[in-house]
Amino acid sequence: MPTIDAVALPDHLMSNQLNGKIAVVIDILRATTTIVEALGNGARCIVPVASVDGARVLSHKRANSILCGERSGIKPDGFTLGNSPLEYDPQTILEKDCVLTTTNGTRAIHMADAADEVLIGSVSNVDALCSCIRDDGRDVVLICSGTDGMVSFEDCLGAGLIIDRLSYAATDNAAMMYHAMEGASIRFGGFRFAVESSFHAKRLIEMGFGKDVEHACQMGISSVVPVFDSVIGEIVTD
Ligand code: MLT
């Protein structure tokens, strides 16, 4: 049986931990949910970029691109789209290259590039993602993006959901996330309410992004499994 491992922050990855494995990057609020939504609605690709200035420069050079992302949850000056998955409708993004920079999610994606394959995970694509991982058969490492170097509860809950669905042999880190997800879902009366108890969800709700949190908790609504090709620097649909 393949194994499933997990880290609560990309900075916790040890050298060689990703070798020969599939990495799944998770930032359910909101970067990876947004990436799944954008590709599902027809974006040609997502180009994850670490910095706001880097994204501006790159978008300027790519004729077919739109500039997307957030800092402190808010769309930076001159950007076309923020980081709300609900903004990524087909009219705006069809066939576009979305140059995306977010505070933690896009950084985590780049930190996963030592893996054999880097997939993008969210609650919205959990079923398609797990069936893709199962068909592949390799060991998996889940990488939670966190928030500014701090562990994010909602990412651990998302990881727990994937661990539950896959039923692979779990490391202690992965077992911890699974039990956190199971326990919190019971304690709060459902997965969504557990997510809403997290610091980042509360902050987004206060900022008026409650619908994003709701959307990010919808299980298996997308069949899109985004793959990051670190050589060309693009995320495309599997
Ligand atoms: C991030 O990458 O830090 C997040 O996706 C932040 C957000 O909610 O926009």
Side-chain angles (χ1 to χ4, degrees), residues 42-59:
R44 195 194 69 79
C45 72
I46 311 293
V47 187
V49 180
S51 71
V52 168
D53 285 345
R56 284 199 177 106
V57 171
L58 190 64
S59 175

Side-chain angles (χ1 to χ4, degrees), residues 9 18 21 55 88 94 99-100 115 130-131 139 142 146 154-155 157 170 174 183 191-193 198 205-206 218 221:
L9 285 173
L18 298 178
K21 298 184 180 161
Y88 289 69
L94 195 66
V99 175
L100 176 72
C130 290
S131 96
D139 295 340
L142 307 179
E154 74 280 4
D155 288 341
L157 294 170
F191 180 86
R192 175 181 153 193
F193 300 114
S198 70
I205 292 165
E206 263 174 37
Q218 288 187 294
I221 55 166

Side-chain angles (χ1 to χ4, degrees), residues 211-227:
K211 284 203 174 342
D212 290 0
V213 177
E214 212 176 294
H215 176 85
C217 293
Q218 288 187 294
M219 285 184 202
I221 55 166
S222 174
S223 59
V224 169
V225 182
V227 183

Side-chain angles (χ1 to χ4, degrees), residues 159-207:
L161 195 66
I162 297 168
I163 295 157
D164 182 32
R165 300 284 165 107
L166 285 173
S167 297
Y168 280 7
T171 61
D172 278 2
N173 263 6
M176 221 161 53
M177 291 186 196
Y178 163 72
H179 289 298
M181 183 279 295
E182 195 187 45
S185 297
I186 294 168
R187 161 80 176 75
F188 290 99
F191 180 86
R192 175 181 153 193
F193 300 114
V195 168
E196 285 178 358
S197 77
S198 70
F199 175 82
H200 192 42
K202 286 183 182 151
R203 188 168 151 262
L204 285 172
I205 292 165
E206 263 174 37
M207 291 170 75

Side-chain angles (χ1 to χ4, degrees), residues 135-164:
D135 290 349
D136 180 278
R138 273 175 290 192
D139 295 340
V140 188
V141 182
L142 307 179
I143 302 172
C144 298
S145 301
T147 305
D148 300 327
M150 304 285 280
V151 172
S152 284
F153 188 42
E154 74 280 4
D155 288 341
C156 298
L157 294 170
L161 195 66
I162 297 168
I163 295 157
D164 182 32

